[in-house]
Amino acid sequence: MDEPLPIQQGADSAPAYDHYPEPGLRALITAGLILTTLMTSIDSTIANTVLPQIRASVSASQDEILWVLTSFILASTVVTPAIGWLERRFGRRNLLLFALVGFTAASMLCGIAQSIIEMVFFRVLQGATAAVFVPLSQAILLDINPPKDHARAMSMWGMGAVMGPILGPILGGFLTEHLNWRWVFFINIPLALVGFLLLAATLPKRTHRDAAKFDGFGFITLLIALVGMQMLLDRGPGAEWFSSAEIWIYAAVSLMGAHVFFVHIFTSARPIIHPSILADRNYLLASVMILFIGVLMFAGMAVLPTLMQQLLDYPVLTAGLTQASRGVGTFISMYLVGQLVGRLDNRLIILTGVGLTGLSYYLMSGFSLDMDQSPIVISGLFQGLGLGLVFIPLMTIAFTTIAPNLRTEAASFFTLIRNIGSSLGISMVGALQIYNSKIVSSHMMEYATPDNPNVIASLPPGMDLTTAPGQAMMEGIIARQSAMLAYVDSFHLLFVMSILIIPLLLFLRTRRPSDA
């Protein structure tokens, strides 16, 4: 097109296209949005693969290294509620381009970090700038496509976005094995450059500036609630949980912030999140489900690289290739969703997806130190298939009855809820891993004595528990076994969680989108 697409502006409305772009321009915009989202998804999965290498390089403890993951998600979560106001204030084009520049700079800083403090700080910057990519991409795609094409457009975007879980582990393993773990962050630079050029050339420029006041009080109360919650989860294992006054303080701060936030948004004239969004039944139920899906999506993925590299002795590239089956499954299911949405009840598709996800964690609860790669590949494939079947139908149901001028806010809050679930999942599994492995190890040590005939009969030839080398060898065996049992317990818990969310589907209502 020769001129930028006209934009309609209202005092309280987000930008909206007067008419749908021609197919060529629509394809270019979609490609740019897919690329930026792909970059974010690669970055969230590529770091998982190299956590052991980062931990060794920056001298971090087992619980500290998880901050590399949770700091990114928490920063993204905190910024997400402000995206609606930022969009109205600066425009989608300016906001996306600024975020791309900031994300690239933060990625470079992560690549040169020398300590865990620097790494976490730069990951916070990276997560804060990456926050805008997913909700703005969703809102723009809904605006440039007619309602009858929404599910197909979201499926195409989702297929591109889930290439991250396929490429991320493989790229992470390859770059770390042949170059250095720092290149997993430097790889963002060329992707960001291409995405910047595409979106700068295709997105319309803002012709009107909305001077709506930012709800700073609502933002601060939400920030207090989220930071308090994250500090409770991250510091809990090391501080012996609620036996410490520090943890009680974090819990009180988080609950107080959450209470004030929800009271504020339902009583303020123009809160950071419009109350009509939360009053929508479908959207509210879908948000509860996406919270649990966020837990299921990231919890297992966060601990698998450590399990494979430290307990099963996989090289980093092998660990990355093994995890790629999860992304392959998601890619396949995203394609299938594009064909099934509109033909089958969305709730049936979501049920199938949740069931497959539960099956994957059931299979993972059978992991052992003697297994080969097959159980990891098969369970990862089922998990990818399941999660891919859930996201698009659930988003379609969530946004069915949301007003167009509130789409960006709704998409932002939906992403915020999913990020909270992701952060909860990572912290929860990390804490359980430390706690359960200590308990199991303690129980095993009680029976691993030289006078226990059952233990003596199972010892390898030449191993003597009455000698220091024999005792050291036994401690190593117990440490590996207790760590694996702790992983198995976490996977079993995630299996139970996937089953418990199924009844929520009974309360969702579907409505076939208009063909307009």
Side-chain angles (χ1 to χ4, degrees):
M1 300 179 70
D2 296 330
E3 298 179 356
L5 290 171
I7 300 290
Q8 286 182 334
Q9 297 294 337
D12 296 316
S13 65
Y17 291 93
D18 275 341
H19 57 277
Y20 302 116
E22 62 184 21
L25 181 57
R26 194 185 308 174
L28 287 175
I29 295 174
T30 302
L33 297 175
I34 289 174
L35 188 59
T36 57
T37 309
L38 171 65
M39 183 175 61
T40 307
S41 63
I42 284 179
D43 213 68
S44 63
T45 55
I46 202 171
N48 296 343
T49 307
V50 297
L51 277 182
Q53 287 73 26
I54 297 177
R55 178 184 175 185
S57 181
V58 301
S59 303
S61 65
Q62 183 177 351
D63 56 335
E64 287 175 341
I65 197 60
L66 290 178
W67 297 351
V68 174
L69 304 181
T70 56
S71 60
F72 180 93
I73 297 173
L74 179 61
S76 179
T77 304
V78 167
V79 171
T80 297
I83 292 175
W85 176 83
L86 290 171
E87 180 206 37
R88 292 192 298 272
R89 186 70 176 83
F90 301 105
R92 286 177 179 169
R93 181 178 184 274
N94 293 338
L95 184 55
L96 271 175
L97 297 183
F98 174 81
L100 277 169
V101 173
F103 184 82
T104 306
S107 298
M108 293 178 63
L109 292 171
C110 286
I112 63 175
Q114 300 297 318
S115 67
I116 186 63
I117 294 176
E118 290 182 4
M119 174 61 75
V120 170
F121 179 72
F122 297 145
R123 285 284 283 178
V124 167
L125 296 179
Q126 197 181 37
T129 51
V132 306
F133 296 146
V134 171
L136 283 191
S137 296
Q138 292 172 345
I140 292 172
L141 283 173
L142 291 173
D143 278 353
I144 67 175
N145 289 279
K148 64 184 181 64
D149 293 332
H150 280 177
R152 182 174 300 176
M154 295 302 292
S155 177
M156 289 178 57
W157 171 79
M159 287 175 63
V162 300
M163 287 299 291
I166 300 175
L167 298 176
I170 299 174
L171 267 177
F174 179 84
L175 292 172
T176 302
E177 190 162 295
H178 295 281
L179 294 171
N180 188 284
W181 66 263
R182 300 181 185 277
W183 282 89
V184 305
F185 296 105
F186 295 150
I187 195 67
N188 289 326
I189 299 173
L191 294 176
L193 178 61
V194 175
F196 183 93
L197 294 175
L198 271 175
L199 294 175
T202 57
L203 289 179
K205 295 181 180 179
R206 185 73 177 265
T207 57
H208 172 78
R209 186 177 296 272
D210 190 339
K213 185 179 179 181
F214 179 60
D215 180 19
F217 181 79
F219 180 78
I220 291 173
T221 55
L222 180 60
L223 176 64
I224 291 172
L226 294 175
V227 171
M229 178 195 72
Q230 195 61 52
M231 290 301 296
L232 184 153
L233 293 170
D234 288 341
R235 291 285 300 148
E240 297 299 329
W241 294 103
F242 289 98
S243 61
S244 167
E246 176 188 1
I247 301 303
W248 279 105
I249 291 173
Y250 293 143
V253 167
S254 181
L255 290 173
M256 179 188 68
H259 172 74
V260 175
F261 171 74
F262 282 106
V263 170
H264 172 73
I265 62 175
F266 283 102
T267 57
S268 175
R270 188 61 180 96
I272 193 168
I273 298 295
H274 201 285
S276 65
I277 296 175
L278 299 180
D280 186 284
R281 174 181 173 178
N282 264 8
Y283 183 85
L284 185 61
L285 287 171
S287 297
V288 173
M289 290 195 69
I290 205 65
L291 174 73
F292 289 103
I293 295 300
V295 173
L296 297 173
M297 181 179 181
F298 279 91
M301 186 172 62
V303 297
L304 266 180
T306 304
L307 185 155
M308 288 188 286
Q309 294 179 54
Q310 294 188 353
L311 294 186
L312 303 180
D313 297 324
Y314 288 2
V316 62
L317 182 56
T318 304
L321 290 169
T322 304
Q323 290 179 88
S325 64
R326 187 175 186 268
V328 171
T330 310
F331 185 85
I332 294 171
S333 59
M334 284 288 187
Y335 172 78
L336 292 175
V337 163
Q339 311 301 314
L340 295 176
V341 170
R343 300 180 181 179
L344 293 178
D345 190 321
N346 284 333
R347 292 169 295 186
L348 181 60
I349 302 174
I350 297 171
L351 174 63
T352 305
V354 173
L356 287 171
T357 304
L359 174 61
S360 73
Y361 279 115
Y362 177 78
L363 295 174
M364 292 170 72
S365 67
F367 282 1
S368 72
L369 293 173
D370 300 323
M371 68 180 181
D372 58 15
Q373 297 177 24
S374 300
I376 302 176
V377 173
I378 294 172
S379 62
L381 182 64
F382 281 132
Q383 191 172 126
L385 287 169
L387 292 172
L389 289 175
V390 169
F391 273 105
I392 302 305
L394 192 59
M395 284 192 296
T396 302
I397 291 176
F399 294 108
T400 296
T401 52
I402 296 295
N405 64 311
L406 295 176
R407 279 174 180 162
T408 298
E409 284 187 29
S412 298
F413 194 73
F414 200 70
T415 304
L416 180 148
I417 296 298
R418 190 197 68 188
N419 285 344
I420 291 175
S422 302
S423 185
L424 280 172
I426 294 172
S427 298
M428 177 186 71
V429 171
L432 287 175
Q433 182 63 28
I434 296 172
Y435 181 72
N436 287 339
S437 61
K438 287 181 179 179
I439 292 178
V440 175
S441 177
S442 177
H443 285 308
M444 286 186 173
M445 290 295 290
E446 293 178 5
Y447 297 96
T449 58
D451 58 352
N452 188 326
N454 294 325
V455 172
I456 298 301
S458 62
L459 292 179
M463 184 175 172
D464 186 358
L465 290 184
T466 62
T467 65
Q471 293 172 2
M473 188 179 297
M474 176 57 74
E475 288 180 3
I477 293 173
I478 289 176
R480 295 182 73 242
Q481 292 286 353
S482 59
M484 177 57 78
L485 287 174
Y487 284 123
V488 166
D489 287 343
S490 297
F491 296 146
H492 185 74
L493 175 63
L494 294 170
F495 161 69
V496 173
M497 184 180 296
S498 64
I499 300 303
L500 292 178
I501 65 176
I502 290 178
L504 291 176
L505 291 171
L506 299 175
F507 301 97
L508 289 174
R509 294 178 179 175
T510 59
R511 189 181 72 181
R512 188 177 298 276
S514 170
D515 294 331

